[in-house]
Amino acid sequence: MKLRVQYMAQLRAVVGRAEEEIELSEGSSLTDLLNQLATTYSAASSHFVTEARQARPSLLIVLNEAAVSARDAKTTILHSNDIVTLLPPIAGG
């Protein structure tokens, strides 16, 4: 299945693009997607997953305009044509 991934804030600079189309196996979860991205963009892997290969808790994940908690990433199944937006934490003052 194909889905679209959008990168926001510093993730755009780290991966070198604003969005891309990703091919995943049917039945893949958000965690599967994040692990694939961590492998593809190894220099940015810590933005996507923890050392235990779970979704990074501080990463804001939006699936088709609905926020998904990192703790729900493993059980959130993706479908063809989904749009996943990834926004890392932003600090400032």
Side-chain angles (χ1 to χ4, degrees):
M1 77 177 152
K2 291 184 181 181
L3 54 105
R4 187 167 34 142
V5 179
Q6 300 175 325
Y7 304 101
M8 300 295 152
Q10 74 259 33
L11 276 179
R12 281 186 185 171
V14 173
V15 301
R17 63 187 71 212
E19 67 179 57
E20 68 181 313
E21 192 173 85
I22 299 284
E23 183 81 29
L24 288 176
S25 301
E26 288 292 330
S28 293
S29 69
L30 272 172
T31 299
D32 296 328
L33 169 64
L34 294 173
N35 277 302
Q36 180 171 321
L37 294 174
T39 299
T40 301
Y41 302 108
S42 58
S45 65
S46 65
H47 289 281
F48 302 114
V49 295
T50 64
E51 288 183 20
R53 306 298 285 182
Q54 299 301 311
R56 168 91 29 220
S58 58
L59 182 66
L60 176 60
I61 305 166
V62 179
L63 174 60
N64 300 325
E65 301 182 16
V68 177
S69 169
R71 73 175 171 265
D72 295 329
K74 192 172 186 175
T75 59
T76 301
I77 303 303
L78 298 170
H79 302 92
S80 192
N81 299 316
D82 278 346
I83 300 171
V84 178
T85 304
L86 302 174
L87 179 67
I90 299 175

